[in-house]
Amino acid sequence: MRDIELLAPAADKHVAMAAIMHGADAVYIGASSHGARHKAANSLDDLRETVDFAHQFRAKVYVTVNTLVFEHELPQVERLVWDLYHIGVDAIIVQDMSLLRLNLPPIPLHASTQCDNRTPAKARFLQDVGFSQIVLARELTVAEIREICRTVTIPVECFVHGALCVSYSGRCAASQTALGRSANRGKCAQMCRMPYTLRDADGNIIVKDKYLLSLRDFNAADNMEALLDAGVASFKIEGRLKDAAYVKNVTAFYRRRLDEIFAANPGKYRRSSCGESSFSFDPLPEKSFNRGFTSYFLSRRRPGSMASLLTPKSMGETIGNVNDLHNGDGISFFNADGEYQGVNVNGIKDGRIIGSRPFRLPPGAVIHRTSDVAWQKLMAGDTARRTIRVDMALDEKGLTLTDERGLEVRVALDVTRDVARRPMSPERVLGKLGDTIYRLGDFENNLEPTTFIPASGLAALRRRGVALLDAANRASYPFEYRRQEDPAATYPEERLTARDNVANSLARAFYSSHGVKEMEPAVELQSDYRGAVMTTRYCILRELKICRKEHPDKTPSQPLTITTGPHSFRLAFDCARCEMSLFPKQ
């Protein structure tokens, strides 16, 4: 059976614990520094608490140290990884290859999607130099993912839900060049979520103030079986800046989806952690923040619409009947001019919405609920319980507990016994596991019928047994260790550009040792970078249905430019590769 991992995001320890309770097999979370979400840093003490909680369920904790590392920061990063290793973190997610040249403990390293992992050759190289897991680029089709999975023997991780970067991840310099905020240093200004005006070579406006680079959110729920069949071992939810309600809902949704697939394919897959989660709600992704959904390129190389051109804000869920709304809900719609509008609901009267301000719904307008007060109240409470099955057997010598992980402990029966005056039911006392992470499975009572044990004695047996199980789990937790680097592995290319993100001497030494001949310094080290700031499989021309291949008669004169505020970018199209690039307009 293949072990399959559901990997959830966590802004902090509270969100991490919520993710685990709602079915995550692993979480990824930021360290105190050098994480690609600058606003989602966590102290060592909080990470230690997260690790201890997760490991109860054999769930893993991956910590992101996935920014570029500047030369003077190398000793700091080295100390950080040692600290993470000592508190039991399961792996480090990295982008900068300098970490393979630092004096690190034998902790597993995962290759972040920012390493631009989109070819079999790149994936095989990362495996050969010692990475234990590879996070694939989000732009790949299922067929391309299958080819990569066939090329490597280590687990392959792919995103299945959440916000999409329009550029190949790790290769976006728009924020850095425009505002001095490096996405590869965790400070992305989200240039892709801004409104742009598109002009042709003569300055004519083609589209005005539309969110031309703002993609819908990823949703691969309908492709899960195909991804499993392709060989994917880890399914990743995006969202390290999302709140607990979002993570609870989306994690529970994909937990349920995977469990359904597992049940339909007995003996083929199993989850990589243990325990069973029960929810007090019906998980629905559209209830959480979303810009509308797209499966992106999973199904085919050139899909249809995938952008959210009218707004980068949440679309919420579509409402078919206004009577389903409640006082305090927030709704959104597009007015007659195609502008995104929002209003709070103060009531419903005669099938009409009474808003917190005057508003007019165009005929046939689609209403989206972007804020559901009843849902928010529900999600603010305890919405899941996760428990591990434990079987018990009681005999004259003591109590044996065996859990679903295969751990077995035995507690000697040294309590006072007597002759039973009436039949006793020790299961009622021993099975009271409500304040623990365990639930009773099978119970076998092998005591002589005449043996009586006081309830206090049975409760003491149960407490000692649970404590022993907890200790056995801690003592036997299956840590993994870093794979060895093959010094003969050759990088697939001999020349690296600025967007390959070489920012320090150790990264240069790493690439040199693996056959790279030329390296430009990272964009962050250049004062006047004029190269491409984005390259993407998404194409504005295709999105607007003026693709040069599909609609040559509609294609405007080039070069095209897009402008937002003071920032302008020239568009370049590689139709043979079906890619679009953005360059600073000179």
Side-chain angles (χ1 to χ4, degrees):
M1 295 176 69
R2 285 176 52 208
D3 285 340
I4 303 300
E5 173 182 273
L6 177 60
L7 176 57
D12 56 38
K13 67 178 181 181
H14 303 293
V15 179
M17 293 175 187
I20 292 163
M21 292 300 289
H22 288 74
D25 301 305
V27 295
Y28 62 105
I29 185 171
S32 56
S33 66
H34 293 87
R37 296 292 184 272
H38 183 67
K39 295 181 179 179
N42 292 276
S43 70
L44 203 64
D45 287 340
D46 282 355
L47 292 174
R48 180 185 290 109
E49 193 174 340
T50 301
V51 167
D52 291 344
F53 183 86
H55 286 184
Q56 297 177 101
F57 301 99
R58 297 288 170 95
K60 295 180 179 180
V61 177
Y62 306 146
V63 173
T64 57
V65 186
N66 59 339
T67 65
L68 296 188
V69 182
F70 291 155
E71 192 74 26
H72 69 279
E73 297 171 329
L74 291 169
Q76 175 191 350
V77 170
E78 185 172 280
R79 289 192 299 271
L80 174 63
V81 176
W82 275 102
D83 288 340
L84 296 172
Y85 173 73
H86 286 140
I87 65 170
V89 166
D90 293 280
I92 307 296
I93 303 173
V94 306
Q95 173 188 188
D96 198 306
M97 293 298 140
S98 64
L99 275 83
L100 283 81
R101 289 293 176 267
L102 291 173
N103 178 27
L104 297 187
I107 191 168
L109 301 180
H110 291 188
S112 170
T113 187
Q114 292 164 285
C115 294
D116 193 27
N117 308 322
R118 51 187 160 112
T119 66
K122 182 70 172 289
R124 180 55 187 264
F125 172 78
L126 293 169
Q127 171 183 284
D128 290 348
V129 297
F131 283 96
S132 299
Q133 191 153 304
I134 301 170
V135 190
L136 295 186
R138 280 170 270 207
E139 294 80 4
L140 301 178
T141 65
V142 171
E144 290 168 327
I145 291 170
R146 178 179 291 108
E147 188 61 29
I148 291 174
C149 290
R150 287 174 175 170
T151 305
V152 299
T153 57
I154 59 175
V156 168
E157 174 184 323
C158 76
F159 285 89
V160 290
H161 197 92
L164 287 165
C165 293
V166 67
S167 176
Y168 288 115
S169 296
R171 300 182 69 83
C172 183
S175 178
Q176 169 68 27
T177 56
L179 299 171
R181 293 173 52 180
S182 169
N184 284 311
R185 296 277 294 169
K187 298 181 180 180
C188 179
Q190 293 195 312
M191 298 293 292
C192 56
R193 303 299 180 190
M194 297 180 180
Y196 287 88
T197 294
L198 175 66
R199 291 180 172 87
D200 66 13
D202 301 316
N204 299 312
I205 293 178
I206 302 168
V207 175
K208 183 177 176 60
D209 292 337
K210 293 293 186 287
Y211 297 88
L212 297 173
L213 298 176
S214 182
L215 300 184
R216 300 180 188 183
D217 285 4
F218 197 31
N219 185 323
D222 293 336
N223 294 274
M224 300 291 281
E225 287 189 81
L227 290 169
L228 282 166
D229 185 64
V232 173
S234 178
F235 293 90
K236 186 172 194 171
I237 299 165
E238 185 277 337
R240 278 203 298 122
L241 295 179
K242 294 295 196 296
D243 61 18
Y246 178 98
V247 174
K248 286 179 179 182
N249 181 35
V250 177
T251 302
F253 175 80
Y254 282 93
R255 175 76 274 150
R256 183 171 288 178
R257 182 76 186 101
L258 280 173
D259 288 347
E260 290 170 352
I261 296 172
F262 294 174
N265 295 272
K268 194 171 184 180
Y269 310 113
R270 65 185 176 194
R271 62 183 305 182
S272 61
S273 65
C274 62
E276 181 179 294
S277 294
S278 56
F279 316 123
S280 61
F281 66 100
D282 187 19
L284 298 167
E286 56 270 25
K287 285 283 193 182
S288 295
F289 183 99
N290 71 86
R291 301 175 179 92
F293 292 120
T294 175
S295 60
Y296 211 24
F297 291 97
L298 281 178
S299 299
R300 54 197 179 104
R301 181 66 176 79
R302 301 178 67 199
S305 177
M306 61 178 64
S308 179
L309 298 176
L310 300 179
T311 178
K313 297 179 181 180
S314 178
M315 298 298 292
E317 60 176 328
T318 301
I319 295 297
N321 188 335
V322 297
N323 291 314
D324 292 335
L325 296 170
H326 306 99
N327 292 359
D329 284 355
I331 62 168
S332 67
F333 56 92
F334 294 99
N335 65 18
D337 297 324
E339 297 172 333
Y340 180 84
Q341 300 280 301
V343 66
N344 288 330
V345 177
N346 282 357
I348 305 294
K349 184 177 181 180
D350 298 328
R352 297 180 61 212
I353 301 170
I354 302 171
S356 57
R357 61 170 178 78
F359 72 98
R360 182 183 296 276
L361 278 174
V366 177
I367 301 173
H368 301 270
R369 176 159 53 190
T370 53
S371 177
D372 184 333
V373 291
W375 175 265
Q376 291 170 350
K377 183 177 180 180
L378 171 65
M379 298 305 289
D382 293 331
T383 49
R385 184 163 185 249
R386 182 167 176 169
T387 54
I388 297 170
R389 173 184 167 132
V390 58
D391 298 331
M392 295 185 184
L394 179 65
D395 58 30
E396 299 292 335
K397 294 183 179 180
L399 178 67
T400 301
L401 299 89
T402 308
D403 74 6
E404 64 184 66
R405 298 166 293 199
L407 295 177
E408 182 176 294
V409 297
R410 185 169 178 82
V411 184
L413 185 59
D414 57 359
V415 298
T416 302
R417 287 179 287 180
D418 203 343
V419 176
R421 296 181 177 86
R422 60 181 182 274
M424 63 175 292
S425 179
E427 179 180 355
R428 288 198 311 174
V429 177
L430 293 173
K432 291 181 178 179
L433 297 165
D435 59 347
T436 73
I437 63 169
Y438 303 101
R439 72 181 186 280
L440 183 63
D442 294 334
F443 182 83
E444 187 176 338
N445 182 9
N446 295 316
L447 287 175
E448 293 294 332
T450 57
T451 301
F452 171 76
I453 302 174
S456 59
L458 292 172
L461 274 178
R462 182 191 66 230
R463 288 192 296 271
R464 289 164 56 200
V466 166
L468 278 176
L469 265 184
D470 289 341
N473 179 53
R474 288 191 296 271
S476 63
Y477 184 81
F479 284 103
E480 297 177 8
Y481 298 93
R482 180 175 165 184
R483 301 176 68 255
Q484 288 191 341
E485 179 178 339
D486 178 2
T490 301
Y491 192 74
E493 300 172 15
E494 291 190 350
R495 183 180 182 275
L496 300 182
T497 71
R499 290 193 301 151
D500 288 301
N501 302 321
V502 179
N504 56 68
S505 60
L506 292 186
R508 287 194 294 273
F510 169 83
Y511 284 116
S512 293
S513 69
H514 289 289
V516 177
K517 306 298 185 185
E518 298 180 50
M519 284 170 269
E520 293 181 10
V523 175
E524 288 76 4
L525 302 182
Q526 299 190 32
S527 59
D528 188 31
Y529 175 75
R530 307 306 294 176
V533 297
M534 285 188 192
T535 300
T536 172
R537 272 189 169 179
Y538 163 78
C539 179
I540 288 176
L541 296 182
R542 188 170 62 235
E543 188 71 19
L544 297 177
K545 297 180 173 54
I546 52 176
C547 170
R548 295 198 297 188
K549 285 186 174 181
E550 298 173 356
H551 305 282
D553 56 321
K554 297 181 180 180
T555 304
S557 59
Q558 299 194 33
L560 304 178
T561 60
I562 58 172
T563 303
T564 182
H567 309 294
S568 292
F569 301 97
R570 174 176 58 86
L571 304 181
F573 302 94
D574 184 341
C575 294
R577 297 170 62 90
C578 206
E579 290 182 338
M580 178 181 75
S581 293
L582 276 65
F583 292 82
K585 187 178 179 182
Q586 300 183 13

